[in-house]
Amino acid sequence: MTLIRLATRASRLALWQTEHVAALLQKAGLETEIVPMQTTGDAVQDRSLAKIGAKGVFTQELEESLLRGDTHLAVHSAKDVQSSIPRELELLAFLEREKVNDVVLSFNESFSLDKLGIVLGTSSTRRKAQLRRYYPHAETAEARGNLQTRLRKLEEGQFDALVLAFAGVHRMGYEHLVRHTLPTAQFVPATGQGSIAIECAANLDEDLKARLKVALDHADTHICLAAERAFLHTMEGGCSIPSFALATLEGGRLRLHAGIISLSGEEYVEEIQTAATAAEAVALGVRVADTVLARGGREILASIREHRG
C-alpha cells in the first residue's frame, strides 16, 4: 500500500488542517504521514507580506517537496495559493468550504467597532483597505505570526482587536472571542478563503490521483474556487494585492462577486455576474476580472505597484 506523505506548514492551524486531510484519506483506506516544513512566510516575521515580495511565501517550500518527489500532496489554506502555479504541479482538490466571513476578535466582551481610536490588528492588505473604507475612524496595525502569536499580541495590548478569517478561528476553537462577524457584502473575502487546497505533482500516478480526489474533493467548492482563481489569475493578483472574490452556487447558477480596492480604501471597483452553468466557472472569473480592470481596476493596480516601488 502506498504511504501518502503530506507536506504542510508547521503552524498549529496548518497541522490541524493536514490532520483533517489525513483522517479523510485514512477513511478511504490510505495510510498517511505528515511532513511539517517551515516556509518563507513563517520564517520572516519582521516584515509585512507585501514587503517580503516573493510569490508563494506560504507554499513554495511545500511545492518544491512535491517536485522532488519527497511528498505526494501539499496541504494549503486555499487563500495562500498563488494565482499561477508551475506547470509541473496541479491543484487536485478543494475541501468543503467553511464559513467564509472575516471576524473581529477581542478579549473585551463589550468591544465595539464604532468606538473612536481603536486599533485593529491584521496582516492582510485587503482587510486593511476594507477597514479604511468602512471604519475610517479605526487604525490598523501589522499583525504577523500564527494565530496563537497574534492572540498573545492582542492580550499584551498591541491591538484592541484582531481581524481574521472565521475558518481558522473556528478550527482552533476561538469562536468565544468573536465580537463581530463582518458581512461579505462589504468585506468580500480573499480568493479561496475558508477552503483547504490539495496540490500534487502533475505526473503523479493517474489512478492514485483519482482515488485521492474522490476522498478529498468537494465538487461545489471546487467549482466556486475555479471561478475565483480565474478572476485572480486574470487580475495578476496575489496575497499582497487587495483584490477579493467570492463565488457561490445558487440554484445551479454560479454567482461571482469580485473586485479590487485601493490601499487607502477610497477607490473601489466591484462587479457581480452570474453564469448559467458550473461549466462556465473559469469563463465567469475571466469575464468579471476583465470588467473590473476596464472599469478602473487597472489604474488601482498600477497605483499600488507604483506605491510599492
Side-chain angles (χ1 to χ4, degrees):
M1 181 183 290
T2 303
L3 177 69
I4 306 300
R5 290 170 58 82
L6 306 173
T8 176
R9 293 168 62 192
S11 72
R12 274 180 58 189
L13 176 57
L15 288 170
W16 184 99
Q17 293 177 167
T18 307
E19 287 162 2
H20 177 58
V21 170
L24 292 173
L25 292 174
Q26 289 158 14
K27 188 176 179 181
L30 293 157
E31 291 187 27
T32 61
E33 179 185 350
I34 294 174
V35 184
M37 301 176 185
Q38 187 178 56
T39 65
T40 302
D42 297 312
V44 181
Q45 293 289 324
D46 59 346
R47 281 172 282 164
S48 68
L49 294 176
K51 290 180 180 176
I52 294 175
K55 289 186 177 181
V57 294
F58 292 120
T59 60
Q60 183 177 339
E61 287 77 7
L62 279 60
E63 290 178 332
E64 288 171 353
S65 79
L66 295 175
L67 293 171
R68 290 192 304 267
D70 294 344
T71 57
H72 298 89
L73 300 177
V75 181
H76 309 292
S77 291
K79 65 184 176 61
D80 291 338
V81 180
Q82 62 221 56
S83 56
S84 297
I85 64 172
R87 285 180 305 173
E88 300 86 358
L89 297 173
E90 175 184 337
L91 288 171
L92 180 67
F94 294 100
L95 272 64
E96 184 172 6
R97 198 172 210 168
E98 176 70 81
K99 180 177 170 180
V100 299
N101 300 67
D102 287 332
V103 292
V104 180
L105 273 66
S106 177
F107 288 104
N108 177 3
E109 293 184 11
S110 60
F111 174 80
S112 171
L113 279 170
D114 297 324
K115 186 178 178 183
L116 296 176
I118 54 173
V119 178
L120 303 173
T122 176
S123 61
S124 162
T125 304
R126 170 191 60 84
R127 291 186 186 117
K128 288 175 186 174
Q130 289 171 329
L131 288 166
R132 288 173 186 136
R133 181 174 184 83
Y134 296 111
Y135 293 96
H137 60 278
E139 295 181 35
T140 60
E142 188 65 30
R144 289 294 315 283
N146 61 39
L147 180 54
Q148 288 72 32
T149 299
R150 296 184 202 193
L151 286 170
R152 176 179 52 77
K153 292 178 179 179
L154 176 62
E155 199 165 20
E156 290 171 353
Q158 294 188 32
F159 334 105
D160 296 300
L162 286 168
V163 185
L164 299 164
F166 173 81
V169 172
H170 172 64
R171 290 165 186 161
M172 290 288 93
Y174 291 110
E175 302 101 309
H176 62 286
L177 296 178
V178 173
R179 306 303 173 206
H180 296 276
T181 297
L182 298 172
T184 57
Q186 294 178 327
F187 287 81
V188 188
T191 293
Q193 184 161 304
S195 180
I196 298 169
I198 307 299
E199 190 176 24
C200 68
N203 64 1
L204 189 66
D205 178 79
E206 290 297 328
D207 289 339
L208 180 58
K209 276 201 281 191
R211 190 175 177 191
L212 294 167
K213 185 161 185 168
V214 167
L216 299 173
D217 195 45
H218 185 256
D220 286 358
T221 299
H222 203 136
I223 291 163
C224 290
L225 265 66
E228 292 173 22
R229 288 187 55 77
F231 168 83
L232 186 67
H233 178 76
T234 307
M235 293 289 292
E236 296 185 353
C239 62
S240 63
I241 297 296
S243 65
F244 48 85
L246 177 61
T248 51
L249 276 167
E250 302 170 357
R253 294 181 66 86
L254 185 62
R255 177 184 186 270
L256 179 61
H257 181 184
I260 189 167
I261 183 170
S262 65
L263 297 177
S264 68
E266 294 175 4
E267 298 167 88
Y268 184 84
V269 181
E270 66 177 344
E271 179 73 10
I272 300 173
Q273 293 188 23
T274 60
T277 67
E280 298 176 55
V282 171
L284 176 63
V286 172
R287 190 167 72 239
V288 169
D290 286 340
T291 303
V292 168
L293 289 168
R295 288 181 47 225
R298 190 170 282 108
E299 289 74 18
I300 293 175
L301 274 174
S303 68
I304 291 169
R305 287 168 178 150
E306 183 180 351
H307 173 78
R308 290 179 178 160

